[in-house]
């Protein structure tokens, strides 16, 4: 190490004494035990030489005041772990109790009983239990001084780490709490069968890192080009352990301030008139330490299993604790409650071992390639659909689960309507007439609000009830200053966008034209207040699907599903850019009065860029030229000089240039003359002075 520029070599030692405790390099404390035993034996010899008579009163008094403190001082630190060390300590007390002549013939336990002395082992165990009780009942108060941070982030999953990176980059006073000993601990368990459904697309044929990141579903944002999950595995759907390792490296390499093994609970606002929100947030960990922060960011995800109010549901195994051994399902008939990716993940792993699998849920299966919502059933998990539609015994059914009941008869589990008398009916062609060997509950997860104790958390409506309700700035509707990040914030774009996935939420976190990326469009009317930018005109670029393309019952593979010509760009079905132009910012009333299907209020001008099979949108005639004409129209600016300069750059850089440049610039038209251009070339002597 160095000190004031000088290199200092630290001495290597095997023993170190501090506050009367000798610490050895292997932390077994055998040397300390030996030293204390020798001291106690020497003191015992002094007592023997100094007293001619010892009885049941004098010896215990001398022993407890002079000798035993040496055998117990600081034992919460050096508590013996080796049997030999325990015996050495106990032998001192054995010798001491034999100093009374009338007790020498008795056994050690009898001598202790006569002298009303407990064994040293008992005293250490009793002390440990007393300490444990004081911790559990919070008699020990280590939180007399609260630890304060401006920002408290709860959860070190992907969203918590992403938020931590942003705060660290800006030099903010923050801390990230994580109840486990590693970041992304959710992914140490889930998905249970360890295959992620997020795409790891390593190659796009492009060199633009921003473009490539748009197709990388797992990596977080950072300044380090090597911190990408695409560099950790070649698998298209990575193993969950790879993501855990990636998150651990992300935290360590970027120096994010994560406090591990810290489970904060009882989160609540406390009044404080000195802050703008009128309150701070107070919480405490499992050790009783209290923390206080001005801004609270909940990044805990949705990790609580969703258990329906269904009679007999306790007979079902939960997705969170089901056996993963296929042998446990060999030749069994299995019922799975659920129809999402967790349910189909289970079915895919088991359907080669079972007699057959039935899947039961309250709503129909929604396929992501049909709905364009990444949270719906992904093709990587939908093997059971083949065996169902091809009549290979497996089946999928829909009904209200809370109107059903599970009951056990013998070794079999039966399912029936909750309001019947469990007797056979005359209608015998029902889908649920046969019993099952195993029932598995796989109904997904919901936000766990128990961390707030008695603080009420408002939930979303209907299917979004698994998420807390938040405003469009990701702030809680319950408490100002409390925000949600990651999957917990998905109520804003549930079934509309990818905010519940890493590639969705990683972004939710003096010129004439300024570009703002990933600004929440629902707060467009608050742009100056949120960003400090006073914009008189605004263009909003949004990626949209066709409104009628993937509705229930539509054939998404119909032959006329694609649109090619720019004149029909507004009919594009697949994802494509849409540009909204406003000569002035929309007002709050305009934002509130827009239709349910409208992305934004009616603009002054609207431009659809026609869908592109390659998703590059770089075709000169179909994409770039119509966009240029639109921009010329709304800005009242002639942009042809920019188009010509692009041709000039292409001609100076590449052997082949676009056909539009060949027909225009390369045929002698050259750069369009402007006063500025004429002045430059004249000053350089390229043309005669004008």
């Amino acid at each position: 190490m160095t000190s004031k520029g000088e290199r200092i070599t630290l001495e290597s030692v095997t023993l170190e004494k501090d506050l009367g405790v000798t610490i050895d390099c292997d932390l077994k404390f055998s040397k300390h035990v030996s030293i204390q035993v020798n001291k106690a034996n020497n003191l015992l010899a002094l007592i023997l030489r100094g007293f001619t008579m010892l009885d049941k009163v004098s010896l215990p008094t001398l022993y407890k005041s002079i000798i035993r403190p040496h055998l117990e001082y600081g034992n919460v630190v050096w508590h013996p772990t080796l049997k030999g060390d325990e015996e050495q300590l106990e032998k001192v007390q054995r010798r001491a109790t034999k100093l009374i002549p009338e007790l020498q013939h008795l056994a050690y336990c009898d001598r202790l009983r006569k002298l009303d002395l407990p064994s040293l082992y008992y005293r250490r165990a009793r002390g440990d239990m007393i300490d444990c009780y004081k911790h559990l009942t919070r008699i020990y108060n280590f939180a007399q001084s609260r630890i304060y941070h401006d920002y408290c982030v709860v959860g070190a999953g992907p969203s918590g780490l992403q938020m931590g990176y942003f705060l660290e980059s800006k030099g903010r006073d923050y801390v990230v709490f994580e109840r486990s000993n590693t970041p992304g601990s959710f992914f140490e368990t889930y998905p249970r069968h360890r295959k992620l459904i997020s795409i790891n697309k390593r190659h796009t044929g492009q060199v633009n890192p921003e473009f490539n990141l748009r197709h990388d579903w797992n990596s977080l944002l950072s300044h380090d080009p090597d911190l990408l999950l695409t560099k950790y595995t070649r698998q298209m759907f990575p193993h969950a352990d790879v993501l855990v390792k990636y998150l651990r490296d992300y935290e360590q390499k970027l120096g994010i301030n994560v406090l591990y093994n810290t489970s904060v609970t009882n989160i609540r606002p406390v009044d404080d008139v000195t802050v703008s929100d009128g309150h701070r947030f107070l919480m405490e960990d499992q050790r009783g330490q209290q923390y206080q922060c001005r801004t609270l960011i909940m990044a805990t995800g949705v990790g609580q299993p969703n258990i329906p109010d269904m009679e007999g549901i306790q007979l079902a195994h939960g997705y969170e604790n089901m056996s993963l051994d296929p042998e446990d399902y060999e030749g069994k008939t299995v019922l799975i409650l659920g129809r999402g990716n967790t349910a189909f993940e289970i079915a895919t792993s088991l359907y080669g071992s079972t007699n057959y699998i039935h899947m039961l849920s309250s709503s129909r299966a929604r396929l992501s390639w049909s709905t364009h919502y990444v949270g719906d059933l992904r093709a990587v998990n939908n093997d059971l659909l083949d065996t169902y539609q091809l009549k290979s015994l497996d089946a999928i059914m829909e009904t209200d689960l809370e109107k059903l009941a599970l009951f056990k008869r013998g070794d079999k589990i039966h399912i029936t309507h909750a309001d019947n008398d469990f007797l056979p009916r005359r209608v015998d062609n029902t889908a649920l007439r046969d019993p099952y060997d195993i029932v598995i509950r796989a109904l997904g997860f919901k936000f766990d609000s128990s961390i707030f104790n008695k603080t009420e958390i408002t939930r979303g409506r209907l299917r979004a009830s698994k998420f807390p309700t938040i405003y469009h700035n990701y702030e809680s509707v319950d408490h100002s200053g409390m925000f949600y990040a990651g999957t917990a914030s998905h109520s804003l774009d549930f079934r509309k966008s990818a905010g519940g996935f890493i590639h969705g939420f990683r972004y939710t976190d003096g010129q004439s034209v300024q570009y703002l990326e990933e600004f929440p469009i629902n707060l467009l009317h608050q742009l100056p207040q949120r960003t400090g930018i006073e914009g008189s005109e605004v263009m909003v670029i949004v990626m949209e699907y066709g409104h009628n393309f993937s509705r229930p019952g539509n054939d998404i593979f119909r032959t006329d599903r694609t649109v090619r010509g720019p004149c029909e760009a507004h009919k594009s079905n697949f994802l494509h850019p849409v540009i909204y132009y406003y000569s002035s910012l929309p007002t709050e009333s305009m934002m509130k009065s827009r239709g349910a299907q409208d992305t934004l209020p009616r603009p002054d001008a609207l431009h659809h860029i026609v869908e592109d099979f390659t998703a590059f949108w770089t075709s000169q005639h179909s994409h770039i030229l119509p966009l240029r004409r639109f921009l010329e129209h709304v800005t009242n600016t002639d942009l042809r000089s920019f188009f010509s300069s692009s041709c000039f750059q292409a001609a100076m850089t590449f052997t082949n240039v676009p056909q539009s440049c060949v027909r225009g610039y390369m045929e002698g038209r050259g750069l369009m003359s402007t006063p500025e251009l004429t002045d430059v070339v004249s000053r350089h002597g390229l043309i005669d002075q004008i």
Side-chain angles (χ1 to χ4, degrees):
M1 64 175 290
T2 58
S3 175
K4 297 181 180 180
E6 297 181 1
R7 186 176 181 85
I8 300 174
T9 302
L10 296 179
E11 181 183 0
S12 177
V13 297
T14 57
L15 293 174
E16 185 67 32
K17 188 174 182 178
D18 189 18
L19 296 177
V21 177
T22 303
I23 305 170
D24 49 25
C25 58
D26 56 6
L27 296 181
K28 292 181 179 179
F29 295 99
S30 294
K31 185 63 176 178
H32 176 78
V33 171
S34 178
I35 292 173
Q36 298 306 110
V37 166
N38 287 336
K39 285 183 180 179
N41 283 329
N42 290 337
L43 290 171
L44 198 58
L46 288 176
I47 291 174
L48 186 59
R49 289 197 296 268
F51 290 84
T52 57
M53 186 187 73
L54 293 169
D55 56 22
K56 296 178 183 179
V57 176
S58 59
L59 177 66
T61 302
L62 291 168
Y63 172 74
K64 287 190 282 187
S65 60
I66 298 176
I67 298 176
R68 194 167 68 183
H70 288 278
L71 303 176
E72 294 186 333
Y73 168 74
N75 65 3
V76 292
V77 175
W78 57 264
H79 193 297
T81 57
L82 300 178
K83 192 70 174 176
D85 292 341
E86 288 186 354
E87 287 296 329
Q88 280 195 68
L89 294 167
E90 206 69 46
K91 281 181 180 178
V92 177
Q93 187 162 278
R94 287 176 185 271
R95 288 185 60 201
T97 56
K98 281 190 174 183
L99 296 181
I100 302 175
E102 63 266 30
L103 300 181
Q104 291 179 355
H105 65 284
L106 297 177
Y108 177 53
C109 58
D110 294 329
R111 296 199 300 272
L112 293 179
R113 193 177 301 110
K114 293 284 186 181
L115 297 174
D116 195 22
L117 287 175
S119 68
L120 296 178
Y121 174 82
Y122 172 83
R123 282 178 56 82
R124 290 193 299 270
R126 181 175 178 271
D128 289 344
M129 288 189 287
I130 291 173
D131 280 343
C132 182
Y133 173 78
K134 288 181 177 180
H135 279 292
L136 293 175
T137 57
R138 297 183 180 175
I139 295 175
Y140 283 149
N141 183 13
F142 297 112
Q144 293 178 358
S145 60
R146 296 170 180 170
I147 298 177
Y148 174 81
H149 294 280
D150 288 340
Y151 299 88
C152 291
V153 182
V154 182
S159 61
L161 293 181
Q162 186 67 84
M163 186 58 64
Y165 168 73
F166 290 142
L167 294 171
E168 180 72 27
S169 301
K170 297 298 182 181
R172 305 297 193 215
D173 173 24
Y174 77 98
V175 65
V176 181
F177 297 113
E178 172 54 45
R179 63 184 178 183
S180 179
N181 60 357
T182 185
S185 59
F186 178 86
F187 296 99
E188 288 189 311
T189 304
Y190 304 107
R192 294 297 310 281
H193 297 88
R194 313 309 290 144
K195 179 186 283 189
L196 298 175
I197 62 173
S198 46
I199 294 174
N200 180 47
K201 191 165 183 60
R202 299 185 299 118
H203 303 295
T204 64
Q206 304 296 306
V207 295
N208 186 332
E210 180 62 28
F211 178 88
N212 293 338
L213 194 60
R214 288 287 177 177
H215 297 273
D216 174 1
W217 287 26
N218 300 285
S219 299
L220 299 177
L221 302 177
S222 78
H223 60 270
D224 189 340
D226 291 326
L227 274 178
L228 299 173
L229 195 103
T230 52
K231 298 181 181 294
Y232 280 68
T233 178
R234 292 174 174 264
Q235 293 178 310
M236 188 65 167
F237 297 99
H239 194 283
D241 289 348
V242 176
L243 179 59
V244 174
K245 183 180 186 306
Y246 166 74
L247 295 176
R248 189 180 298 116
D249 290 349
Y250 185 91
E251 177 266 324
Q252 293 175 353
K253 291 183 179 181
L254 299 177
I256 299 172
N257 181 27
V258 181
L259 197 58
Y260 291 110
N261 298 309
T262 304
S263 179
V264 293
T265 56
N266 198 20
I267 300 175
R268 59 202 183 274
V270 291
D271 293 338
D272 189 340
V273 296
T274 64
V275 295
S276 57
D277 293 317
H279 58 254
R280 299 179 188 268
F281 292 94
L282 186 65
M283 64 206 75
E284 51 201 38
D285 63 20
Q286 71 274 25
R287 294 172 289 272
Q289 175 64 59
Q290 290 187 334
Y291 301 89
Q292 195 176 56
C293 57
R294 185 191 67 208
T295 302
L296 174 66
I297 302 171
M298 297 300 301
T300 55
V302 286
Q304 183 180 20
N306 189 21
I307 303 176
D309 184 14
M310 177 182 181
E311 186 177 344
I313 190 64
Q314 68 277 5
L315 297 175
H317 300 274
Y319 171 73
E320 66 277 8
N321 54 26
M322 61 171 286
S323 170
L324 301 181
D325 186 357
E327 289 297 323
D328 293 338
Y329 305 92
E330 190 71 25
K332 301 292 179 63
T333 302
V334 176
L335 173 67
I336 300 176
L337 303 178
R339 53 102 181 106
N341 281 291
T342 54
F344 277 88
E345 170 200 330
I346 295 169
T348 298
S349 68
L350 299 183
Y351 79 140
S353 302
T354 61
N355 294 331
Y356 56 82
I357 294 175
H358 285 173
M359 192 173 289
L360 182 62
S361 65
S362 298
S363 58
R364 67 183 183 89
R366 296 179 176 85
L367 308 177
S368 61
W369 47 261
S370 173
T371 63
H372 301 298
Y373 173 58
V374 294
D376 282 336
L377 179 59
R378 303 291 301 286
V380 68
N381 282 330
N382 67 12
D383 294 3
L384 193 77
L385 294 180
D386 270 2
T387 57
Y388 167 51
Q389 293 290 358
L390 298 176
K391 283 298 180 182
S392 184
L393 298 181
D394 300 321
I396 300 173
M397 300 164 280
E398 297 84 30
T399 189
D400 188 348
L401 293 181
E402 295 189 356
K403 292 183 179 180
L404 299 178
L406 298 173
F407 69 97
K408 197 164 188 177
R409 184 177 294 160
D411 294 332
K412 301 290 186 178
I413 299 175
H414 297 254
I415 185 167
T416 186
H417 288 280
D419 57 357
N420 75 9
D421 53 9
F422 299 99
L423 295 176
R425 298 294 182 185
R426 288 185 178 274
V427 180
D428 58 1
N429 190 26
T430 62
L432 299 171
R433 62 183 182 270
D434 292 327
Y436 299 92
D437 296 302
I438 299 174
V439 178
I440 302 174
R441 167 181 45 78
L443 296 163
F445 298 89
K446 62 182 180 181
F447 179 74
D448 184 4
S449 60
S450 63
I451 194 172
F452 293 96
N453 200 3
K454 296 180 180 180
T455 304
E456 188 67 25
I457 300 298
T458 304
R459 299 277 185 160
R461 297 177 62 248
L462 303 175
R463 285 179 292 176
S465 62
K466 66 178 75 174
F467 307 110
T469 303
I470 59 178
Y471 294 120
H472 289 295
N473 65 344
Y474 300 92
E475 189 172 26
S476 168
V477 300
D478 301 299
H479 303 289
S480 59
M482 182 170 79
F483 297 83
Y484 290 91
T487 306
S489 67
H490 194 31
S491 61
L492 285 184
D493 58 357
F494 181 57
R495 301 200 58 77
K496 298 177 183 177
S497 186
F501 286 70
I502 293 176
H503 71 294
F505 65 62
R506 64 188 173 197
Y507 295 98
T508 58
D509 303 308
Q511 298 173 328
S512 59
V513 177
Q514 295 196 45
Y515 172 67
L516 300 178
E517 186 172 358
E518 301 297 336
F519 182 81
I521 59 173
N522 291 294
L523 297 177
L524 185 59
H525 60 291
Q526 299 180 11
L527 180 66
Q529 299 95 309
R530 299 291 178 181
T531 65
I533 299 173
E534 296 291 340
S536 57
E537 296 177 279
V538 62
M539 290 187 202
V540 183
I541 305 175
V542 184
M543 303 298 289
E544 295 183 5
Y545 285 98
H547 287 302
N548 299 318
F549 180 48
S550 58
R551 287 186 174 180
N554 285 5
D555 180 9
I556 62 172
F557 290 113
R558 60 184 183 268
T559 55
D560 62 344
R561 62 184 180 272
T562 59
V563 173
R564 295 184 180 179
C567 59
E568 294 186 328
H570 61 287
K571 297 180 180 179
S572 296
N573 288 317
F574 288 92
L575 195 68
H576 64 286
V578 181
I579 303 176
Y580 295 75
Y581 168 77
Y582 297 92
S583 57
S584 60
L585 281 176
T587 63
E588 184 176 1
S589 61
M590 292 171 61
M591 295 293 291
K592 290 182 177 180
S593 61
R594 59 186 161 156
Q597 299 298 321
D598 295 335
T599 305
L600 286 169
R602 182 183 180 90
D604 296 309
L606 180 70
H607 178 66
H608 287 257
I609 299 179
V610 68
E611 61 190 27
D612 184 11
F613 181 79
T614 64
F616 293 150
W617 295 284
T618 55
S619 299
Q620 290 288 342
H621 292 288
S622 297
H623 302 126
I624 297 177
L625 185 58
L627 175 60
R628 193 196 87 194
R629 295 283 173 82
F630 171 75
L631 295 176
E632 287 177 334
H633 169 68
V634 299
T635 62
N636 194 28
T637 304
D638 187 349
L639 300 179
R640 285 178 295 175
S641 59
F642 293 97
F643 186 70
S644 300
S645 63
S646 299
C647 289
F648 176 79
Q649 182 180 8
M652 295 295 99
T653 309
F654 302 99
T655 304
N656 298 317
V657 296
Q659 285 298 315
S660 57
C661 291
V662 174
R663 290 192 296 269
Y665 174 80
M666 298 299 290
E667 289 181 1
R669 294 170 60 185
L671 292 171
M672 185 183 71
S673 178
T674 65
E676 293 83 6
L677 179 61
T678 302
D679 181 62
V680 170
V681 296
S682 296
R683 284 190 284 105
H684 285 79
L686 299 177
I687 61 174
D688 294 334
Q689 294 287 338
I690 298 177

